[in-house]
Amino acid sequence: MKAVTVSHISKSYAKTPALQDICFEAEPGEIFGLIGPDGAGKTTLFRILTTLILPDKGNANIGSLDIIKDYREIRTRVGYMPGRFSLYQDLTVEENLQFFATVFNTTIEENYDLIKNIYQQIEPFKTRRAKALSGGMKQKLALCCALIHKPDILFLDEPTTGVDPVSRKELWEMLKSLREQGITILVSTPYMDEAGLCDRIAFMTGGRILRIDSPQNMITQYQDPLWAVRGKNMHKLLNDLRSNKNVKTCFAFGDAHHITCYDGSLIEKELEKFLLEKGNEEILIQPITATIEDCFMQLTNHE
Amino acid sequence: MNKDTHIPHDPMHQRTKIQNIVPQKVIEVHDLVKRFGSFTAVDHISFDVKQGEIFGFLGANGAGKTTAMRMLCGLSKPTSGKGLVAGFDIRKESEQVKKNIGYMSQKFSLYNDLKVWENIRLFAGIYGIPEMEIDGRTGDLLRRLHFDKERNTLVKELPLGWKQKLAFSVSIFHEPKVVFLDEPTGGVDPVTRREFWELIYEATSRGITVFVTTHYMDEAEYCDRVSIMVDGRIEALDTPENLKKQFNTQNMDSVFLQLARKAKRTAN
């Protein structure tokens, strides 16, 4: 049985469509990523799957349970960490955890094994109020609270937004170890580089799913040959590349610009000559493999 | 004292000459400290930012970035140390500082319930742009952004990426010497994120200095120089290229991780 089955879900707020005909399945024990910018519909989808709001059309199952008929049962089986920090600011670390355990009719001791590795990192601060925690610690606490009733499926809505790269790495380590323990994880993120850490991903934008696949397949299916171009003055280089008739797309990617070409086969020497004539220096052109972000941008560009 | 008689006594002339060679410093910070009780949020930081530069201000959550930035914007008084922003003392002339800078944050930037043109009108008024100029400049701005059709749209109806582009343009509408951008591209889609950086480049080509924080390490590469804060101190400051050499790595992500992992304190 699938961990999550979503078929033809649509939802609008007033006249604005938030989700349009969403379909996907998540396998038990996988990390399934919803990748897309703000406004893609990720939060709305999570809120429907955690039975907090109703879809206008379509249906979905969590395991064999129906999100409408069986909403009470689903609530005991899923853990949900919303995007905004949603713990009780005036309760201490320990009190928050205790509270969530009690609500789900369990105790901290009963499922301590599951949260042990994460909780030990914040245990030295267990008498500190939640509002006095740093961003990284708040997140660890929220994750513990979402896990304390040993859910089958964990929904994490943008757990790494606004979080620095170190805490982001730590969080992904935690998710991997939770997967080892058999928990299915649905996670959303606007950071494309995190897509590679999921087993499968769905690219979302404007309330639609553009494509679902493993990160590796997304990359191998990237349609055009791609080159990285570097030079001394990167901003000038960007404009000059765009003025070249054979250059189809050109985007800055950190220390290089990624380009695709109209005729598919780029004669590197020719482009180099063109760029040198425009006054660029230290030109380096290399064929490269696409990143997840290249894939996302190609799919959205074809919209 | 320089008693060299070969140099004609013409200090004004000399200053102009020096300015031509060395770009003007728009931010000068020396030994800046901010304590909250016994907690030292910002611990003796010193750096300069030159005119027209894109300066990346990085650090882990809780490293002290926001506190430092609030002092530079004249919103918080330093415990000790000295800072000049746009030529004004951040301690004694904080009102002048505020008038001569632009500021944009990810969270609050524009009024959702006002139309696009109303937001521009409001901020133009706040920054004292002469009444006669506002209309013309608003038109220019909207044309440049290809926003002409959205003039009468409520800001809340714009996609996030557009809002952020508009917010940035509004934050430099009064042509400040320096603009502070606090995570301007968080949650923005990849294409718009890059368009946003092109607006930044365009602003610097007009001589505006950009001071920017981000959690996207590819964006650190777009900065002329990058500083990385750890536990209230600036642990590294150089061009992205030199930082990568110094830390013997291919990308800024790894530079950041090597430094931020040294952090001892757990913030707030």
Side-chain angles (χ1 to χ4, degrees), chain A residues 156-170:
Chain A
L156 304 171
D157 194 4
E158 298 205 14
T160 53
T161 293
V163 173
D164 69 72
V166 177
S167 307
R168 278 169 59 190
K169 256 202 158 76
E170 283 177 6

Side-chain angles (χ1 to χ4, degrees), chain A residues 67-291:
Chain A
I67 52 158
I68 297 167
K69 279 195 312 226
D70 307 315
Y71 75 97
R72 279 185 173 276
E73 179 64 16
I74 287 176
R75 288 179 187 181
T76 66
R77 305 272 190 93
V78 304
Y80 175 44
M81 188 169 138
R84 266 212 307 211
F85 183 64
S86 59
L87 300 174
Y88 292 91
Q89 305 276 6
D90 289 338
L91 296 184
T92 65
V93 167
E94 199 176 23
E95 285 165 346
N96 265 295
L97 193 57
Q98 189 78 54
F99 174 81
F100 281 93
T102 313
V103 165
F104 285 104
N105 212 4
T106 182
T107 59
I108 298 179
E109 294 72 34
E110 202 172 317
N111 295 317
Y112 189 70
D113 271 357
L114 191 62
I115 60 161
K116 193 175 149 195
N117 288 334
I118 308 163
Y119 191 60
Q120 274 174 350
Q121 299 173 49
I122 49 173
E123 213 165 9
F125 313 98
K126 66 180 180 185
T127 57
R128 194 183 281 191
R129 287 187 190 197
K131 66 178 168 196
L133 296 175
S134 72
M137 289 203 289
K138 274 181 182 166
Q139 259 192 327
K140 283 171 192 154
L141 176 58
L143 190 54
C144 287
C145 291
L147 282 168
I148 196 61
H149 59 297
K150 205 167 190 229
D152 303 331
I153 303 175
L154 192 57
F155 290 90
L156 304 171
D157 194 4
E158 298 205 14
T160 53
T161 293
V163 173
D164 69 72
V166 177
S167 307
R168 278 169 59 190
K169 256 202 158 76
E170 283 177 6
L171 186 100
W172 279 95
E173 293 300 323
M174 291 185 261
L175 298 191
K176 277 189 224 161
S177 83
L178 288 170
R179 178 179 57 187
E180 303 302 307
Q181 300 180 64
I183 295 180
T184 306
I185 298 171
L186 263 75
V187 56
S188 68
T189 177
Y191 294 105
M192 301 287 152
D193 56 337
E194 293 179 346
L197 304 166
C198 303
D199 297 310
R200 287 193 309 138
I201 49 177
F203 280 155
M204 283 187 83
T205 188
R208 291 176 185 277
I209 289 183
L210 299 171
R211 181 183 284 176
I212 303 171
D213 215 327
S214 69
Q216 198 47 52
N217 284 346
M218 292 273 190
I219 286 168
T220 49
Q221 282 166 25
Y222 186 81
Q223 287 160 359
D224 295 319
L226 192 69
W227 287 268
V229 185
R230 292 179 173 82
K232 203 170 174 190
N233 180 342
M234 293 299 282
H235 189 221
K236 175 175 167 50
L237 183 64
L238 187 75
N239 291 329
D240 289 342
L241 280 167
R242 286 192 178 151
S243 73
N244 185 290
K245 283 199 189 88
N246 189 23
V247 172
K248 188 160 106 186
T249 62
C250 173
F251 290 107
F253 268 79
D255 68 338
H257 300 322
H258 289 188
I259 61 163
T260 61
C261 296
Y262 280 108
D263 68 6
S265 65
L266 172 75
I267 298 159
E268 289 162 24
K269 282 276 164 247
E270 268 179 24
L271 182 64
E272 188 180 344
K273 191 167 161 252
F274 169 85
L275 293 170
L276 290 172
E277 276 167 8
K278 291 248 173 195
N280 291 280
E281 294 169 66
E282 297 169 31
I283 296 297
L284 184 65
I285 306 170
Q286 295 165 301
I288 49 157
T289 325
T291 65

Side-chain angles (χ1 to χ4, degrees), chain B residues 28-172:
Chain B
E28 290 175 68
V29 172
H30 192 65
D31 262 343
L32 203 60
V33 175
K34 180 74 184 188
R35 288 198 191 90
F36 298 106
S38 62
F39 178 71
T40 308
V42 173
D43 191 2
H44 294 91
I45 61 170
S46 302
F47 63 91
D48 297 331
V49 181
K50 295 187 283 283
Q51 192 193 349
E53 197 174 22
I54 304 176
F55 189 83
F57 197 58
L58 311 186
N61 298 117
K65 294 191 303 287
T66 305
T67 308
M69 205 144 143
R70 284 178 56 83
M71 287 192 282
L72 296 180
C73 294
L75 298 172
S76 157
K77 288 244 185 299
T79 308
S80 66
K82 200 170 156 22
L84 286 176
V85 172
F88 298 100
D89 188 323
I90 56 170
R91 184 194 302 275
K92 293 182 204 132
E93 299 166 302
S94 59
E95 286 311 308
Q96 284 304 108
V97 169
K98 287 180 207 165
K99 279 182 195 156
N100 286 280
I101 62 168
Y103 175 78
M104 173 193 165
S105 79
Q106 190 197 345
K107 284 179 201 123
F108 172 78
S109 30
L110 298 169
Y111 288 91
N112 274 320
D113 291 336
L114 295 183
K115 291 171 184 166
V116 167
W117 77 266
E118 289 170 333
N119 266 287
I120 300 173
R121 176 71 188 79
L122 174 67
F123 285 99
I126 288 172
Y127 281 107
I129 293 171
E131 205 60 47
M132 290 163 58
E133 289 178 24
I134 295 178
D135 260 1
R137 280 168 69 172
T138 302
D140 289 347
L141 171 66
L142 293 177
R143 265 190 301 281
R144 260 210 319 265
L145 292 174
H146 305 291
F147 270 20
D148 315 47
K149 283 189 199 138
E150 309 297 337
R151 187 185 186 89
N152 292 314
T153 309
L154 287 178
V155 159
K156 68 176 165 201
E157 277 154 19
L158 295 175
L160 176 77
W162 290 42
K163 265 191 218 176
Q164 293 301 82
K165 281 196 257 179
L166 181 63
F168 175 67
S169 305
V170 167
S171 74
I172 57 169

Side-chain angles (χ1 to χ4, degrees), chain A residues 37-38 125 128 131-138 161-169 190-192 234-235 238 242 251-255 293 296-297 300-301, chain B residues 59-62 65 106 160 183 186-191 193-194 198 201-202 205 215-219 221-222 241 244 250 253 256-257 260-261 266-268:
Chain A
D38 288 6
F125 313 98
R128 194 183 281 191
K131 66 178 168 196
L133 296 175
S134 72
M137 289 203 289
K138 274 181 182 166
T161 293
V163 173
D164 69 72
V166 177
S167 307
R168 278 169 59 190
K169 256 202 158 76
Y191 294 105
M192 301 287 152
M234 293 299 282
H235 189 221
L238 187 75
R242 286 192 178 151
F251 290 107
F253 268 79
D255 68 338
E293 197 160 10
F296 185 89
M297 287 165 73
T300 47
N301 258 359
Chain B
N61 298 117
K65 294 191 303 287
Q106 190 197 345
L160 176 77
E183 283 188 49
V188 173
D189 74 81
V191 176
R193 200 154 71 79
R194 285 165 173 82
E198 284 170 35
Y201 280 126
E202 196 195 336
S205 70
H215 285 316
Y216 290 101
M217 286 303 127
D218 60 331
E219 294 185 347
E221 301 273 3
Y222 309 147
E241 203 185 346
K244 284 184 281 183
Q250 301 293 316
D253 199 37
F256 185 90
L257 289 176
R261 285 223 166 100
T266 37
N268 294 28

